[in-house]
Amino acid sequence: MPSPLPPGLPPPAETLVRDPDPFPGLVGFTAALRAAGVPMTTDRVAAFTEALDALDVTDRMQTYWAGRLTLCSDPDDISRYDAAFAAWFDPRQGPSPPRPDAPAAPPPTLTSLLPTRDSREGDDEEEREQEILKATATGSEVLRTRDLGELSPLEREHLRRLLQLLRPDPPTRPSRRLASARHGRPDPGRTLRAALRNHGELGELRRRAPTRRPRKVVLLLDVSGSMEPYADALLRFAHVVVRRSPSSTEAFTLGTRLTRVTRELRQRDPERALQAAAEAIPDWSGGTRLGEVIGAFVDRWGRRGAARRAIVVIFSDGWERGETDLLGTQVGRLARLAHRVVWVNPHVGKEGYAPVQGGIVAVLPYLDELLAGHSLETLERLLDVVRAS
């Protein structure tokens, strides 16, 4: 037996409306609820209309409970819903008092509802939401090409959210382990076992091929004074890459000394990870001795396995205060260990740039790629290069 109407509402009438198509008015009722302070979404409106489609829309009790169960999401909404329902469907009760910022009360009868001020208000709100979404999408597209070192504080906050949306696929390499495959070398053992199960008949030549495993990635980030405008964004980029493949990715910072920040960047929360990394880096925004620091990485980490058959990505503008010949020598040692060496320079993407700095000139013969890294778009291009390596 259907539940009775709550106290305070008018007694059930024989019918709500006699209009052959009451649904436009019922949808307009949702605009009145929005004006009364009940949050409205397209999903709730759709659920309301679907419920009415399965019920008798001319029955007051069924209409009331269909709306209350689909349009109210909070206990505070029930009193507003009851007042709006009574004002909308019973003129004798009078309209409910509008909120200070709400439009005028809706018409009291459902059959007289055509496009009213409330429905237009809802349409205007939807149009404004669409305009906001379009503006946000356009802003995100423009931000992808902006120089990371020239962003305003608000744009940097937006960039941080965009960086978290990146989904870098780790590069892979063939392993020594073999698995069954359609193409590859013959697998005598599986072929013989299949023949034995088939009474000795050799029906098909089974094959096997090497499986693939993640290839190691090493990120070396220059945090000297000349790279300070890009350091925060690059560390956040490194956090995304490390979090995606924590077991096969290493991250270090380069300055006057070498600092491993892999453990700090493995934290799930980006703000905590960046804070921990900042506390671990003693030479933030200081000088740089790239040749000595890269040599320290090769001696302490690279030759012990971190750089062997790995993709090493160096983020630096190439300004070297020490000897450029030493930098070239150490990058050459690194290139002989690594699978590929990629140098990301934020100035490469700028108009009129030429690789004339002493550091860049010294390392160019040992690089597999020299890429730009001044914008989100160029960082996405870097992920494509690393994945395809």
Side-chain angles (χ1 to χ4, degrees):
M1 179 178 179
S3 302
L5 289 171
L9 288 180
E14 58 277 7
T15 58
L16 274 177
V17 293
R18 307 186 188 279
D19 189 86
D21 185 14
F23 278 95
L26 291 169
V27 174
F29 170 58
T30 62
L33 288 176
R34 182 186 293 112
V38 180
M40 286 291 107
T41 64
T42 55
D43 294 339
R44 293 181 187 176
V45 176
F48 179 45
T49 56
E50 290 178 4
L52 291 175
D53 190 38
L55 301 173
D56 184 3
V57 72
T58 63
D59 185 273
R60 183 185 187 84
M61 184 180 300
Q62 295 187 29
T63 303
Y64 171 84
W65 285 107
R68 176 163 166 174
L69 295 176
T70 57
L71 301 176
C72 296
S73 60
D74 189 88
D76 294 337
D77 295 340
I78 297 177
S79 59
R80 301 188 184 102
Y81 177 84
D82 290 345
F85 188 90
W88 188 268
F89 294 116
D90 192 347
R92 295 170 298 178
Q93 296 292 323
S96 58
R99 296 179 300 161
D101 57 343
T109 58
L110 188 63
T111 54
S112 62
L113 177 69
L114 293 172
T116 64
R117 183 177 178 181
D118 286 311
S119 61
R120 289 196 302 269
E121 179 76 15
D123 294 340
D124 293 342
E125 184 174 342
E126 292 181 0
E127 292 177 2
R128 286 195 298 270
E129 291 176 355
Q130 293 177 359
E131 291 175 359
I132 292 174
L133 290 175
K134 291 179 181 179
T136 302
T138 304
S140 300
E141 187 64 27
V142 172
L143 190 60
R144 291 179 65 251
T145 60
R146 290 285 305 278
D147 192 303
L148 300 177
E150 301 175 356
L151 300 180
S152 66
L154 184 60
E155 290 173 329
R156 289 184 182 277
E157 183 63 30
H158 191 184
L159 174 69
R160 293 169 184 174
R161 292 194 291 269
L162 293 179
L163 285 172
Q164 293 304 311
L165 297 178
L166 294 178
R167 293 294 180 267
D169 295 327
T172 60
R173 64 176 181 86
S175 68
R176 295 182 180 179
R177 179 173 297 180
L178 303 177
S180 60
R182 290 181 176 272
H183 306 283
R185 68 185 71 175
D187 188 347
R190 294 182 63 247
T191 302
L192 179 59
R193 288 192 294 271
L196 292 175
R197 288 193 297 269
N198 197 29
H199 307 288
E201 294 291 337
L202 183 62
E204 180 184 1
L205 180 62
R206 304 298 177 90
R207 297 182 179 276
R208 57 184 178 178
T211 59
R212 301 192 69 84
R213 59 182 301 178
R215 184 182 292 278
K216 290 180 290 186
V217 177
V218 179
L219 307 177
L220 304 178
L221 298 97
D222 187 346
V223 294
S224 62
S226 61
M227 288 289 292
E228 183 179 8
Y230 304 93
D232 180 79
L234 294 181
L235 273 173
R236 292 179 182 276
F237 174 78
H239 172 258
V240 173
V241 178
V242 171
R243 283 288 304 163
R244 182 67 172 178
S245 305
S247 61
S248 60
T249 306
E250 290 282 350
F252 299 82
T253 60
L254 311 177
T256 57
R257 59 180 294 180
L258 178 73
T259 305
R260 181 174 182 260
V261 292
T262 307
R263 180 177 299 176
E264 288 76 11
L265 295 182
R266 284 175 179 169
Q267 298 185 48
R268 181 184 299 273
D269 184 78
E271 300 304 325
R272 291 185 178 180
L274 267 291
Q275 180 64 31
E279 294 174 356
I281 300 172
D283 53 350
W284 182 277
S285 190
T288 177
R289 294 195 297 267
L290 289 176
E292 297 179 15
V293 176
I294 292 179
F297 167 76
V298 174
D299 293 334
R300 294 173 53 190
W301 296 91
R303 296 176 60 184
R304 297 181 181 181
R308 293 187 183 276
R309 296 181 295 180
I311 300 175
V312 180
V313 183
I314 304 174
F315 296 86
S316 177
D317 54 6
W319 290 106
E320 171 63 298
R321 292 186 178 182
E323 298 180 4
T324 57
D325 293 340
L326 176 62
L327 175 60
T329 301
Q330 298 302 331
V331 173
R333 294 177 60 204
L334 179 60
R336 288 189 289 273
L337 289 173
H339 175 67
R340 290 175 69 85
V341 177
V342 180
W343 193 290
V344 180
N345 187 337
H347 301 301
V348 169
K350 297 181 180 180
E351 184 177 357
Y353 171 82
V356 297
Q357 299 102 324
I360 295 295
V361 173
V363 302
L364 269 178
Y366 308 105
L367 302 182
D368 296 286
E369 295 276 356
L370 177 61
L371 302 177
H374 66 288
S375 65
L376 179 61
E377 184 179 42
T378 56
L379 294 179
E380 292 174 345
R381 166 62 180 160
L382 169 63
L383 292 178
D384 294 336
V385 171
V386 171
R387 181 173 58 249
S389 298

